[in-house]
């Protein structure tokens, strides 16, 4: 029986991808090339430094490791301008009431995000109190599709991996969940998330019954 739900942040609880995109596009433009929304799709769930390296590849620009750190810092400053303006209106439809219902049914709630800004974002949208554990980019050393973030999450709430469900919007996140031997629910388009165990468009109308209906292999 499922005992813990692990939620990705960007694309599942809030749509911060649009802010990442604006900050990355500014950085690309400052370096003399463009960066498109289609290219931004590749960066979902990918860490800040790895995202930057992919963008520099797109522009055919080479930088030293020190310059890469400085550029990542600059991008984050631009990104934080958007984050600082976030509030509860940015919570994606249905996800807060879904989590509340899971909590009422004694399901552990965990955040599993690549972002180093996750705590700040959860504070801005006032959902931080709903989580039993938060594993984010400040705690992990390996990026999705490596399962590290979800394995650490399950361990933090002491639930066996096979009794965990992961909600993810990124194909790399779905891969990470499956590598952790967890049930992967893709949030978004079925075409993009075809490897997930199940795909939902969003959380509207979902409650504990959805979790109860999942039969795990264990
Ligand atoms: P930061 P998630 C990920 O969040 C984003 O999808 C990805 O685009 C971003 O590069 C990464 O966080 C790192 O974010 O720059 O705030 O540390 O989807 O894993 O919640
Ligand atoms: Mg995501």
């Amino acid at each position: 029986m499922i005992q813990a739900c692990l939620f990705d942040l960007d694309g599942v609880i809030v749509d911060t991808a649009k802010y990442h995109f604006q900050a990355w596009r500014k950085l690309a433009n400052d370096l003399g090339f463009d960066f498109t929304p289609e290219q931004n799709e590749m960066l979902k769930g990918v860490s800040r430094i790895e995202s930057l390296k992919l963008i520099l590849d797109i522009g055919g620009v080479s930088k030293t490791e020190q310059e890469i750190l400085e550029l990542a810092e600059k991008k984050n400053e631009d990104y934080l301008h958007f984050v600082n303006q976030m509030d509860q209106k940015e919570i994606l439809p249905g996800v807060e009431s879904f989590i509340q219902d899971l909590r009422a049914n004694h399901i552990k709630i965990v955040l599993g995000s690549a972002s180093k800004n996750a705590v700040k974002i959860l504070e801005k949208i006032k959902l931080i109190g709903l989580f039993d554990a938060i594993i984010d980019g400040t705690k992990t050393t390996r990026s999705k599709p490596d399962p590290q973030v979800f394995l650490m999450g399950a361990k933090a709430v002491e639930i066996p991996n096979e009794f965990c469900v992961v909600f993810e919007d990124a194909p790399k996140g779905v891969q990470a969940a499956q590598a952790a031997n967890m049930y992967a629910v893709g949030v978004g388009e079925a075409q993009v998330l075809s490897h997930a165990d199940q795909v939902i468009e969003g959380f509207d109308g979902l409650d504990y019954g959805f979790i109860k209906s999942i039969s795990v292999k264990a």
Side-chain angles (χ1 to χ4, degrees):
M1 198 166 152
I2 296 300
Q3 293 170 26
C5 287
L6 292 83
F7 292 83
D8 174 51
L9 180 62
D10 173 27
V12 170
I13 294 175
V14 283
D15 175 21
T16 37
K18 62 189 179 204
Y19 302 139
H20 282 296
F21 172 64
Q22 292 189 57
W24 284 132
R25 186 175 221 177
K26 180 173 183 300
L27 177 139
N29 291 170
D30 289 349
L31 291 171
F33 61 95
D34 201 14
F35 176 63
T36 66
E38 291 73 34
Q39 290 164 336
N40 193 54
E41 285 301 304
M42 287 185 333
L43 306 184
K44 289 189 173 174
V46 178
S47 74
R48 192 182 309 166
I49 294 291
E50 284 181 39
S51 299
L52 175 54
K53 288 180 177 173
L54 287 169
I55 290 169
L56 293 176
D57 279 350
I58 289 169
V61 174
S62 111
K63 295 283 174 191
T64 64
E65 285 302 314
Q66 183 55 34
E67 287 168 335
I68 286 176
L69 290 178
E70 286 164 15
L71 285 171
E73 184 56 36
K74 176 76 184 58
K75 179 267 176 177
N76 196 49
E77 276 172 29
D78 291 335
Y79 174 64
L80 286 178
H81 284 135
F82 296 110
V83 169
N84 284 329
Q85 288 165 36
M86 288 179 77
D87 62 24
Q88 287 163 292
K89 290 196 286 297
E90 304 234 12
I91 301 170
L92 289 173
V95 69
E96 183 173 4
S97 61
F98 178 55
I99 294 177
Q100 299 275 19
D101 196 42
L102 296 179
R103 284 176 62 84
N105 285 281
H106 314 292
I107 299 289
K108 298 282 186 199
I109 306 297
V110 179
L111 189 86
S113 167
S115 176
K116 292 186 169 163
N117 297 302
V119 167
K120 189 180 185 81
I121 292 168
L122 288 178
E123 282 172 351
K124 295 294 290 182
I125 62 172
K126 298 193 167 40
L127 289 192
I128 194 140
L130 295 184
F131 290 86
D132 296 295
I134 293 176
I135 309 296
D136 62 16
T138 66
K139 296 185 176 154
T140 56
T141 52
R142 296 191 294 275
S143 264
K144 300 166 189 174
D146 189 286
Q148 185 191 36
V149 64
F150 297 131
L151 295 175
M152 288 174 74
K155 199 164 176 207
V157 291
E158 300 179 333
I159 302 294
N161 303 339
E162 59 270 32
F163 299 136
C164 295
V165 174
V166 171
F167 292 91
E168 252 295 346
D169 70 310
K172 286 188 179 76
V174 166
Q175 273 176 268
Q178 290 177 330
N181 196 27
M182 297 176 182
Y183 188 92
V185 178
V187 184
E189 289 175 34
Q191 257 180 328
V192 181
L193 299 161
S194 56
H195 296 294
D197 294 298
Q198 193 175 157
V199 179
I200 57 173
E201 279 178 23
F203 292 92
D204 251 344
L206 241 60
D207 61 14
Y208 174 60
F210 175 77
I211 292 299
K212 240 172 57 178
S213 71
I214 294 173
S215 60
V216 289
K217 300 146 211 162

